[in-house]
Amino acid sequence: MWLVDLWAERHIADAQRNGEFDYLPGQGEPLMLDDDSAVPEELRAGYRLLKNAGCLPPELEQRKEALALVDLLKGIHKEDERYQELSRRLALMELKLRQAGISTDFMRGEYAEKLIDRFNEE
């Protein structure tokens, strides 16, 4: 074990003995852990740090931006001067996503509609 690991373990054990972990929110409840079994073990800590910092892979960041543009377009009238500019930005974003091999069905809500139809059939 590394020196830092030993130091951390000693401080954790001291805190437990002193009752510093008693009565914390969520005490006694199961932990909600992310399933990171598909991520190689040596990358898990780095990925978790990036996720907790709010960093996304570029393709997910583009997807998030595209959804924000769709929401903006839903909220303004077609006569609004900003509508054309936002439409152009959305079309460009859709082209970039398609070139990256990412389906753009999520932008039109087709997937959600298919799921709803499927659940209604059953």
Side-chain angles (χ1 to χ4, degrees):
M1 209 183 258
W2 293 92
L3 183 60
V4 173
D5 294 332
L6 291 172
W7 179 80
E9 289 293 329
R10 188 180 78 222
H11 280 282
I12 291 170
D14 290 344
Q16 284 176 324
R17 272 193 304 278
N18 295 335
E20 294 177 32
F21 295 133
D22 295 344
Y23 309 110
L24 289 175
Q27 180 182 5
E29 296 176 16
L31 294 175
M32 301 302 286
L33 300 175
D34 293 335
D35 179 22
D36 56 1
S37 59
V39 178
E41 191 171 328
E42 63 273 8
L43 298 176
R44 289 179 187 166
Y47 277 29
R48 190 168 292 119
L49 283 170
L50 289 171
K51 180 182 176 197
N52 291 342
C55 296
L56 292 174
E59 53 276 354
L60 289 181
E61 193 66 50
Q62 289 174 342
R63 182 183 165 120
K64 185 177 173 183
E65 185 179 342
L67 287 172
L69 286 171
V70 168
D71 286 342
L72 281 172
L73 283 171
K74 286 180 183 176
I76 60 176
H77 293 284
K78 290 185 179 185
E79 296 84 29
D80 192 323
E81 58 198 35
R82 298 173 294 167
Y83 189 87
Q84 290 297 326
E85 175 61 28
L86 291 173
S87 293
R88 277 189 237 121
R89 284 180 52 196
L90 183 60
L92 180 62
M93 184 62 60
E94 185 172 4
L95 180 64
K96 286 180 183 179
L97 288 168
R98 284 186 179 173
Q99 287 176 339
I102 299 170
S103 171
T104 57
D105 291 344
F106 68 91
M107 293 169 58
R108 289 174 287 287
E110 294 170 7
Y111 184 71
E113 290 173 10
K114 288 178 184 177
L115 280 177
I116 291 169
D117 291 342
R118 183 94 185 248
F119 284 129
N120 288 335
E121 289 174 2
E122 296 174 357

